[in-house]
Amino acid sequence: MKTFLDHARSKNTLSAFGDSMTAGASISESARWANLFAGKAGLALRNKGISGTLMQGSPDASGMPRAENGVTRYQRDLLGKDRSDLVAILYGCNDARYVAAPATINRNGLVRDYTMVIEGLLAGGFDPSDICIGSPFYVTDEGFGVGGAEFSGQSRAEYDRHVDSIRAIATRFKTFYAPVNEATAAQGGALILPDKIHPSAKGHAVIAAAFASAQII
């Protein structure tokens, strides 16, 4: 079956869309998953990752949406004048970890706004096969206890429900699906930096491999 890497090799440019996992917190540019994947596919990369962001635009504990959230900025970053041939999305980890406003920032809000982004990309001219959705990077139980009051204390069960919801979005729209959570969970904390949250260089390599092997499910 054709993989996202197979498909990408017929294209020229890639936009990677996400949070710090994509922006590359504490990792050199050359070691980031988006750079690794783009290099393997022979693509020019536009990295649209912004650290600390969520996909959803729901109000957080302050009563306001978090700045530069994905649903607010996707038209600018993915459909603007520097749009790419392909889009790879790695969002959901911060949405799943945020616990300070459960009535507003929750799985339903993530599904609503993630769906809006995919529908917007399709309406903007992307084919479903030009989009690859990655499930959120695996967080260890220890990782659920770090990140400040807003981002610590989530349960494994609820985090996994967010993962399942993102997979369901890929299935619904027939985009490519990169099993990032599944691949990184298999190695647990071995792929995570000392901050207990962000992927190490080895973790980024596993993420890149998950995007490379992604299939339409």
Side-chain angles (χ1 to χ4, degrees):
M1 186 178 292
K2 192 174 189 179
T3 66
F4 188 54
L5 179 60
D6 295 330
H7 180 63
R9 284 174 168 153
S10 68
K11 305 293 183 176
N12 297 309
T13 52
L14 169 74
S15 288
F17 191 58
D19 52 33
S20 59
M21 304 284 180
T22 299
S26 303
I27 291 293
S28 66
E29 185 174 355
S30 62
R32 297 170 189 168
W33 72 263
N35 295 78
L36 294 173
F37 176 83
K40 192 168 187 177
L43 300 168
L45 174 66
R46 299 180 175 108
N47 193 318
K48 302 294 184 176
I50 299 180
S51 295
T53 59
L54 276 61
M55 172 61 91
Q56 62 190 292
S58 306
D60 67 9
S62 72
M64 298 292 292
R66 294 184 71 81
E68 297 282 24
N69 61 78
V71 73
T72 297
R73 68 185 179 93
Y74 85 91
Q75 292 182 327
R76 177 196 74 198
D77 287 349
L78 302 179
L79 294 172
K81 60 183 180 180
D82 65 342
R83 66 181 286 165
S84 297
D85 301 323
L86 301 169
V87 174
I89 305 175
L90 186 58
Y91 251 126
C93 182
N94 285 342
D95 295 80
R97 290 177 56 236
Y98 193 91
V99 296
T104 49
I105 294 183
N106 50 49
R107 185 165 51 95
N108 289 337
L110 173 64
V111 171
R112 178 198 65 220
D113 289 353
Y114 211 130
T115 298
M116 189 180 302
V117 169
I118 300 303
E119 289 177 338
L121 293 176
L122 298 178
F126 281 96
D127 186 85
S129 65
D130 294 330
I131 303 167
C132 187
I133 294 172
S135 56
F137 184 74
Y138 177 76
V139 177
T140 64
D141 291 345
E142 187 178 11
F144 286 142
V146 302
E150 291 182 311
F151 286 99
S152 60
Q154 185 57 279
S155 70
R156 170 71 54 202
E158 187 57 30
Y159 193 89
D160 287 347
R161 281 192 281 268
H162 281 70
V163 173
D164 292 342
S165 293
I166 290 174
R167 179 185 175 97
I169 291 170
T171 301
R172 173 186 171 186
F173 289 102
K174 300 187 185 306
T175 69
F176 280 94
Y177 174 72
V180 171
N181 184 268
E182 298 88 330
T184 55
Q187 299 189 56
L191 302 178
I192 303 174
L193 290 170
D195 66 9
K196 309 301 182 185
I197 292 296
H198 294 100
S200 63
K202 185 177 179 181
H204 276 272
V206 173
I207 296 170
F211 273 91
S213 65
Q215 296 182 347
I216 296 173
I217 57 174

